[in-house]
Amino acid sequence: MNTPVITALFGFLILIFAIGFWSSKNVNRKGSGFLQEYFLGSRELGGFILAMTMIATYGSASSFVGGPGVAYTQGLGWVLLAMAQVATGYFVLMVLGKKFAIMARKYKAITLVDFLKHRYNSKWVVLFSAFSIIIFLFSAMAAQWVGGARLIESLTGLTYTSALFIFAVAVLLYVIIGGFRAVVVTDTVQGVVMFVGTLIILIGTIIAGGGITNIMSDLMAENPNLVTPFGHDGSLTPAYVSSFWILVGVGVVALPQVTVRAMSYRNSQAMHRALIVGTIVVGFIMLGMHLIGVFARPILPGVDVPDQVMPMIAMEVLPAWLAGIVLAAPLAAIMSTVDSLLLIVSSAVVKDVYLNYVKPDASNERVRKISFGVTAVLGVLVFGLALSPPDLLIWLNLFAFGGLEAAFIWPVIMGLYWKRANKYGALSSMVVGATSYLLIHQFWTDPFGMHSVVLPVLLSFICFVIGSLVTQHKNVRELAL
Amino acid sequence: MKYNGKYGCPDHDPRFKIANREAIIGVILVIINFAWWYGFAYGMGSKPVEEYTFIFGMPAWFFYSCVVGFLLMVVLVTVVVKFYFKDVSFDEEEEGEDR
């Protein structure tokens, strides 16, 4: 047991709870707008909060635990790959940007599925997208919970199961209490902790390694490939690394947990501010976190479980009390991703399926109860899944990202920018995107040396265009009605 | 065809012109970002390690591609947002805030 570390972590948890309780006042205050508030915070996000919540949601266990672990193994080539994510800082908000915000308000959309429903007017589009969100985000959540529990486990010395239990209870409590507003406000606190934490660990690591020059020569002495863009065994090819621009760069535009934030900003000034803040913070965190992973190698040689590199290096290079505060950063990252995913999946169940097709005339009180109930049940289910965790955290997480991107990227983008886009195009693109991703991911892991997300994204594009064009005459007739 | 308030794609909103232009700016920035990132990483990084030059202790390819590339994007985004992005109202004039 490491008392200062644990004390700092618990202090952080208490702070998060305080914020959750504070936010719950808003949920209860606005009786009529419960759904808007619980799932969207009443579209009141300012620029700084918007930037932070996007980063905190997006920067997850994979960037804070898995990512630096892989960078430790692969060297600078993996940092290069991670830098594809700088694009997410501005691209998502610029491309969805004002048009998505305006259309979402016209449609009174609360979720991505709402948007698709009003844009394409198709029951099958709604059901298929709600279904993909539930399936894919479930696996993403499980991966995050494993990461959170592993982290608590390695910090406190508790067993994996009790660590998971503490983590689950903490997350569930504040999501259920506070809804979207609690999530984004705690995201902001967590985003700040992540940013400062990255800076402190990076500086500590450079000092412990005797300066960057020294660390680099240690790395070259061990294996010169570590300082090339090609990975420790030369396996990171330019095609493979570049294909991550689709997975973690531009494709992020289609992730429901990200798009929902692009409908929640208050006004265009907030969006402009978020663009600048977001680019700076996302770039800095990605660069810093992954560099820490590489720099940790000469300081802590021979770490067997890459996921443990982050906590170990923090405890190695920082005084214990500071390590405790700073290690709240990866915990923050994981919690803030999980809470958003939990909310997105429960909104898919409550808003997109239940309210659309099961009981459209449910009373406010009933919706409120169902929302809390579904959130809680989902949490318990994920807890069960995370009990016997799969080994490679980062791949599970990327698996979910790829599937959602393949399913949603064209329905979202074309829905915004192509007038002729219709439900036939959208549905065929979603079905082909998601299934081809599952198949390729399973049976043809790196087609033409690229990540398995690339081909499904191309295929779903082709299907979208063909599907929409072939059915143009139907579309016109329906719109005229 | 006019937007009927419930389903379909709303047309002819003057704000969409601004929105479309800004989306194109986003795409252009990503292309610049990618070209810079790829060019320096594989342009300078493909040499044998013995021939690498180092800046602030980091290999030059990495310094230019990842560190300078990141700073360049921050500058470009800031400039673009300050000078080319326009403020528009997100709310419908006739119905006001939907809280």
Side-chain angles (χ1 to χ4, degrees), chain A residues 146-411:
Chain A
V146 173
R150 283 262 167 78
L151 192 66
I152 297 178
E153 182 190 14
S154 65
L155 294 177
T156 59
L158 291 167
T159 62
Y160 176 79
T161 312
S162 10
L164 184 64
F165 186 74
I166 292 180
F167 181 76
V169 170
V171 169
L172 274 177
L173 266 182
Y174 81 78
V175 175
I176 292 176
I177 292 166
F180 189 80
R181 192 183 295 263
V183 167
V184 294
V185 177
T186 52
D187 276 359
T188 307
V189 179
Q190 289 159 337
V192 174
V193 172
M194 280 152 72
F195 187 85
V196 178
T198 306
L199 185 65
I200 295 177
I201 305 181
L202 184 62
I203 294 172
T205 311
I206 293 175
I207 294 173
I212 299 178
T213 309
N214 204 4
I215 293 174
M216 287 297 159
S217 45
D218 285 348
L219 287 173
M220 280 188 289
E222 189 192 336
N223 177 356
N225 281 340
L226 290 171
V227 303
T228 69
F230 302 104
H232 71 122
D233 53 0
S235 61
L236 295 179
T237 63
Y240 184 73
V241 173
S242 301
S243 66
F244 270 75
W245 276 73
I246 300 209
L247 185 70
V248 298
V250 297
V252 173
V253 104
L255 296 179
Q257 65 271 39
V258 172
T259 54
V260 75
R261 280 162 174 73
M263 24 171 116
S264 61
Y265 26 88
R266 188 194 300 145
N267 51 31
S268 53
Q269 286 99 319
M271 182 198 130
H272 294 169
R273 189 154 177 224
L275 272 167
I276 299 173
V277 176
T279 309
I280 296 172
V281 176
V282 104
F284 178 78
I285 289 181
M286 292 307 157
L287 183 63
M289 271 294 151
H290 291 87
L291 267 182
I292 292 167
V294 179
F295 289 175
R297 198 176 173 99
I299 303 166
L300 291 173
V303 176
D304 293 329
V305 184
D307 281 358
Q308 286 178 358
V309 170
M310 265 317 286
M312 282 172 70
I313 190 73
M315 292 202 265
E316 171 76 24
V317 301
L318 300 176
W321 61 272
L322 189 56
I325 296 173
V326 165
L327 278 175
L331 193 65
I334 296 168
M335 286 172 72
S336 59
T337 304
V338 163
D339 55 26
S340 313
L341 297 187
L342 198 55
L343 214 50
I344 293 285
V345 178
S346 43
S347 72
V349 175
V350 176
K351 179 78 180 57
D352 302 331
V353 177
Y354 180 78
L355 274 183
N356 275 336
Y357 301 109
V358 182
K359 201 168 166 55
D361 56 344
S363 71
N364 247 313
E365 196 42 44
R366 198 176 161 86
V367 170
R368 181 196 304 263
K369 277 192 186 132
I370 296 231
S371 301
F372 294 149
V374 166
T375 311
V377 168
L378 285 170
V380 173
L381 285 179
V382 184
F383 177 78
L385 258 185
L387 267 178
S388 53
D391 280 334
L392 279 172
L393 183 63
I394 186 167
W395 294 120
L396 237 182
N397 193 25
L398 292 178
F399 176 74
F401 272 28
L404 287 167
E405 289 172 8
F408 289 121
I409 187 161
W410 301 116

Side-chain angles (χ1 to χ4, degrees), chain B residues 22-79:
Chain B
E22 292 175 2
I24 291 172
I25 292 176
V27 174
I28 294 171
L29 283 185
V30 165
I31 294 170
I32 296 173
N33 195 173
F34 181 82
W36 181 284
W37 171 91
Y38 191 95
F40 278 104
Y42 296 106
M44 300 176 83
S46 300
K47 289 184 292 191
V49 178
E50 304 82 60
E51 292 170 28
Y52 276 11
T53 46
F54 291 83
I55 300 170
F56 296 117
M58 289 171 268
W61 71 264
F62 182 80
F63 180 77
Y64 286 116
S65 175
C66 295
V67 180
V68 179
F70 161 49
L71 297 176
L72 173 83
M73 289 323 292
V74 170
V75 172
L76 284 182
V77 167
T78 311
V79 168

Side-chain angles (χ1 to χ4, degrees), chain A residues 36 42-44 76-77 79-81 83-84 86-87 90-91 94-95 98-99 101-103 105-108 117-119 121 212-213 216 220 224 227-230 237-238 241-242 245 250 265-269 271-272 275-276 279-280 283-284 287 291 415 417 419 479, chain B residues 1 3-13 15-16 18-20 22-23 25-27 29-30 33-34 37-38 41-42 45-46 49 52 54 56-59 61-62 65-67 70 73-74 77-78 80-82 85-92 95 97-99:
Chain A
Q36 287 264 354
S42 305
R43 297 192 213 276
E44 284 175 344
L76 288 181
V79 188
L80 177 70
L81 184 150
M83 290 310 278
V86 172
Y90 56 89
F91 185 75
M94 283 187 184
V95 165
K98 288 168 186 156
K99 198 154 187 182
I102 293 167
M103 280 170 76
R105 278 169 205 232
K106 279 193 178 179
Y107 296 154
K108 300 198 190 312
K117 175 186 169 197
H118 286 91
R119 174 64 181 82
N121 186 18
I212 299 178
T213 309
M216 287 297 159
M220 280 188 289
V227 303
T228 69
F230 302 104
T237 63
V241 173
S242 301
W245 276 73
V250 297
Y265 26 88
R266 188 194 300 145
N267 51 31
S268 53
Q269 286 99 319
M271 182 198 130
H272 294 169
L275 272 167
I276 299 173
T279 309
I280 296 172
F284 178 78
L287 183 63
L291 267 182
Y417 295 104
K419 273 184 217 159
L479 278 181
Chain B
M1 100 186 95
Y3 175 60
N4 66 10
K6 195 159 163 52
Y7 292 115
C9 180
D11 276 346
H12 306 306
D13 188 319
R15 295 172 295 176
F16 285 172
I18 297 169
N20 291 349
E22 292 175 2
I25 292 176
V27 174
L29 283 185
V30 165
N33 195 173
F34 181 82
W37 171 91
Y38 191 95
Y42 296 106
S46 300
V49 178
Y52 276 11
F54 291 83
F56 296 117
M58 289 171 268
W61 71 264
F62 182 80
S65 175
C66 295
V67 180
F70 161 49
M73 289 323 292
V74 170
V77 167
T78 311
V80 158
V81 167
K82 292 265 184 237
F85 275 43
K86 290 206 175 73
D87 279 337
V88 298
S89 163
F90 289 153
D91 295 306
E92 298 297 279
E95 55 188 37
E97 285 280 294
D98 50 345
R99 305 237 169 112

